[in-house]
Amino acid sequence: MRVPWRTLAVVPVAFLGIFFVYPLVVVLAQSLTDPAGGLDLSGFAEIVTSAYYRETLWFTTWQAVLSTVLTVAAALPAAVVFVRFKFPGKSLLMALATLPFVLPTVVVAAAFDALLGDSGLLNSGLMAVFGLESAPVQLERTLTLVLIAHVFYNFAVVLRMIVSYWSNQSPQIEEAARSLGAGRWQLWTRVRLPMLAPAISAASVLVFIFTFTSFGVVLILGGPRYSTLEVEIYRQALSIFDLPVAAALSLVQIGLMFAMLLMYSRLQRRITVPLRGEAYVSRVPHSWRAKLGALAVIVTMIVLLLAPLAALIVRSLTTAGGLDNFTRLAQNPRGSILFVPPLTAVGNSLVFASVATVLAVGLGLITAALVNARRWRWLDALFMLPLATSAVTLGFGYLIAMGNPPLNLRSSAVLIPLAHTLVALPFVVRAVLPALQLIPNNVTDAARALGEGPAGVWRRVRLPIIGRALVVGASFSFTVSLGEFGASLFIARPDTPTIPVVIFRLLGQPGAANYGQALAMSVILLVVCGAAFAIIERLRISVAGVF
């Protein structure tokens, strides 16, 4: 009995078609036509002729390039220490470095505001120590703060991909270069960097994608002075209601990101190889120079990674009423029937995340199985598209496409887990696919030779092997859903807000009490995401070159 691949493909493809392609097509169709139904390309014409939109595209591109370069530059010294040396707490430090990546953007933005804002811990401390009357570090609403947050957010992407790839390379290559007289500089330029080029390239493309589509960090930390394509789509659709321009910007972004995802998929296939063990090249540092260098990198990593999160927790306990910031989350001080206590959002987010996780794992498993079959490999880039598509555009598409039968879901809270499923789906595929690819063909061939059918091979061979990868994918889905911000900002109803939406609303309201509650909500989200991340780190399968 042959595996019914075409039948299986119907499920995820239909889901993608109904809840991803259809809303985007409706947005484009309504936005690219005039009231009489004729073709209207005024949105594209405005983008091409307007210096403002060209500058927005240019800013989006160069800030993503600069963020990528800075992230690689920050992660490469750390990768050297992780690959070359053994030291106590190495696994814990790697896990700590990865934590920021799973944190919601609103939490990262709130953390850096708590640390580096005008009233943040750094400025408060400097003003208290030196008796200053104004904040000496002016980073609020600057590009510098956005770039710092991007590096903090994506540091682990580069670090993990380079370390896992480099650790799997033979040390004899470098030993041969040294025996031929290669110095430190020649070792780097002629051996290490060329050898690491595939991993660095794949990691760079992935970071470029994440920073090119940056929304929450730029919106909250950058302010009105800076606008990426993602932020501009949000403004055009929600504030200015210029649908042609919003649709044209969305199309430009989707096209660019699809090209980048194709490039990333090709690069990732080149660096995905069976793991041979990090202990193969790492050693205890012996010289004082090596010890001091490794210690400096480790201490710098710990300080830079923990400082924003520590500032967030401290500020949540010291701003306004201190612990009252947490107790007030369950209260309705004005007694309004329209007010939803912030703590209600925690319950909403947990329910939405649970539903989205079940959907994303089921669809992701089918998709990964299809991609693993060589003739369906093109699905890999297709199902990565939601990752590169504006969540804001997706949310807006739901509002205008899901308001009529048979998909009259606009007033239903079910739209939120559906949108979160689309955002989480690529993470499940990325978690499960490498595990499937590492199963040797002779293992499944042996099962078939022993009389197992396709269902038996999956039940008795593949599922037990990829079980940990499925749990990792589920944890990623749960975490991504908890922190999803862009689409939720559009489709969350007033009575069913999510945690990030409540944090954003509280940050935008005046008063220390609102700010304190926003920090308290951020701490709660930080704790929940941290717990999910612990599960991911405990069960994830290490594959060379894969983040």
Side-chain angles (χ1 to χ4, degrees):
M1 179 180 176
R2 294 176 61 84
V3 176
W5 294 112
R6 293 183 179 179
T7 303
L8 284 177
V10 168
V11 180
V13 170
F15 182 85
L16 195 73
I18 295 172
F19 296 108
F20 177 70
V21 177
Y22 172 62
L24 297 185
V25 169
V26 171
V27 170
L28 296 177
Q30 292 195 0
S31 302
L32 297 178
T33 55
D34 56 27
L39 182 63
D40 181 7
L41 298 177
S42 59
F44 291 97
E46 191 168 349
I47 290 177
V48 173
T49 58
S50 170
Y52 173 76
Y53 295 117
R54 291 199 302 271
E55 290 174 0
T56 299
L57 178 59
W58 171 239
F59 170 74
T60 305
T61 304
W62 76 257
Q63 68 82 25
V65 172
L66 185 55
S67 297
T68 303
V69 171
L70 292 174
T71 305
V72 172
L76 199 53
V80 173
V81 172
F82 272 86
V83 171
R84 307 300 296 174
F85 302 127
K86 293 180 179 177
F87 55 88
K90 186 175 181 179
S91 299
L92 180 62
L93 184 59
M94 178 63 85
L96 176 64
T98 312
L99 176 60
F101 182 75
V102 300
L103 294 180
T105 54
V106 290
V107 173
V108 173
F112 274 96
D113 185 69
L115 176 65
L116 301 174
D118 290 346
S119 58
L121 281 187
L122 180 62
N123 278 317
S124 299
L126 292 174
M127 292 168 66
V129 171
F130 297 103
L132 302 175
E133 296 182 353
S134 60
V137 180
Q138 298 288 336
L139 291 178
E140 207 166 89
R141 302 289 185 269
T142 65
L143 179 61
T144 302
L145 192 56
V146 172
L147 294 175
I148 292 173
H150 280 169
V151 173
F152 174 82
Y153 207 72
N154 298 293
F155 177 82
V157 176
V158 180
L159 177 63
R160 298 198 78 127
M161 292 183 70
I162 293 178
V163 168
S164 62
Y165 182 78
W166 193 355
S167 299
N168 206 40
Q169 304 303 308
S170 172
Q172 295 177 353
I173 299 174
E174 294 187 16
E175 292 171 1
R178 287 195 186 93
S179 66
L180 293 173
R184 192 182 302 274
W185 174 253
Q186 290 174 317
L187 200 61
W188 269 105
T189 57
R190 298 190 178 183
V191 179
R192 287 175 180 165
L193 288 179
M195 178 178 67
L196 299 177
I200 294 176
S201 300
S204 298
V205 171
L206 201 55
V207 173
F208 179 85
I209 291 172
F210 291 146
T211 52
F212 190 91
T213 56
S214 180
F215 175 63
V217 168
V218 177
L219 182 66
I220 298 174
L221 295 180
R225 289 180 58 194
Y226 303 103
S227 180
T228 58
L229 279 183
E230 186 91 343
V231 175
E232 194 57 36
I233 292 168
Y234 166 75
R235 289 174 178 163
Q236 293 294 330
L238 194 64
S239 303
I240 305 176
F241 300 105
D242 193 339
L243 292 185
V245 170
L249 291 172
S250 301
L251 200 61
V252 170
Q253 177 168 282
I254 291 173
L256 290 173
M257 289 300 96
F258 187 68
M260 296 302 295
L261 286 173
L262 286 176
M263 183 186 303
Y264 171 71
S265 296
R266 178 168 297 182
L267 289 170
Q268 193 198 35
R269 284 197 294 271
R270 290 174 54 190
I271 63 176
T272 304
V273 294
L275 192 67
R276 290 190 296 188
E278 186 176 342
Y280 190 60
V281 291
S282 59
R283 66 184 188 278
V284 176
H286 293 292
S287 66
W288 281 106
R289 184 175 183 177
K291 290 179 180 178
L292 288 176
L295 183 63
V297 170
I298 292 170
V299 171
T300 303
M301 277 185 63
I302 293 174
V303 171
L304 295 180
L305 291 169
L306 287 184
L309 305 182
L312 175 65
I313 297 173
V314 172
R315 290 282 289 159
S316 70
L317 296 173
T318 57
T319 300
L323 285 175
D324 289 343
N325 291 325
F326 291 86
T327 59
R328 283 198 296 262
L329 293 177
Q331 299 174 359
N332 184 355
R334 300 176 183 173
S336 171
I337 60 174
L338 300 177
F339 180 80
V340 176
L343 201 58
T344 304
V346 177
N348 295 336
S349 288
L350 292 176
V351 172
F352 295 149
S354 299
V355 176
T357 298
V358 172
L359 293 174
V361 169
L363 294 170
L365 176 60
I366 297 173
T367 304
L370 290 168
V371 173
N372 193 44
R374 291 183 179 277
R375 58 180 176 173
W376 295 91
R377 184 168 288 175
W378 56 274
L379 284 176
D380 192 13
L382 184 65
F383 277 85
M384 288 285 281
L385 265 182
L387 193 64
T389 303
S390 163
V392 172
T393 302
L394 186 63
F396 186 72
Y398 276 20
L399 284 182
I400 64 173
M402 301 294 178
N404 299 304
L407 295 173
N408 190 7
L409 302 173
R410 188 163 56 190
S411 60
S412 171
V414 75
L415 277 182
I416 297 178
L418 290 175
H420 291 183
T421 300
L422 281 170
V423 178
L425 189 55
F427 290 94
V428 178
V429 175
R430 295 264 69 82
V432 176
L433 182 58
L436 281 174
Q437 291 173 332
L438 291 179
I439 299 176
N441 290 331
N442 57 359
V443 173
T444 53
D445 291 342
R448 293 190 188 94
L450 293 173
E452 292 288 355
V457 172
W458 269 98
R459 187 175 64 256
R460 297 178 184 275
V461 179
R462 290 195 176 101
L463 285 178
I465 294 176
I466 67 172
R468 292 174 58 182
L470 281 173
V471 176
V472 170
S475 301
F476 258 121
S477 299
F478 193 80
T479 308
V480 167
S481 176
L482 281 180
E484 204 289 322
F485 175 55
S488 301
L489 197 58
F490 265 87
I491 59 180
R493 301 186 312 181
D495 60 334
T496 56
T498 62
I499 299 176
V501 171
V502 169
I503 293 174
F504 178 70
R505 290 173 181 171
L506 289 171
L507 286 174
Q509 296 176 2
N514 289 321
Y515 183 67
Q517 290 187 54
L519 296 181
M521 289 287 287
S522 298
V523 170
I524 292 174
L525 195 51
L526 170 65
V527 172
V528 176
C529 291
F533 169 72
I535 297 174
I536 294 172
E537 278 300 293
R538 181 72 177 172
L539 299 177
R540 73 188 301 270
I541 297 173
S542 297
V543 179
V546 176
F547 174 61

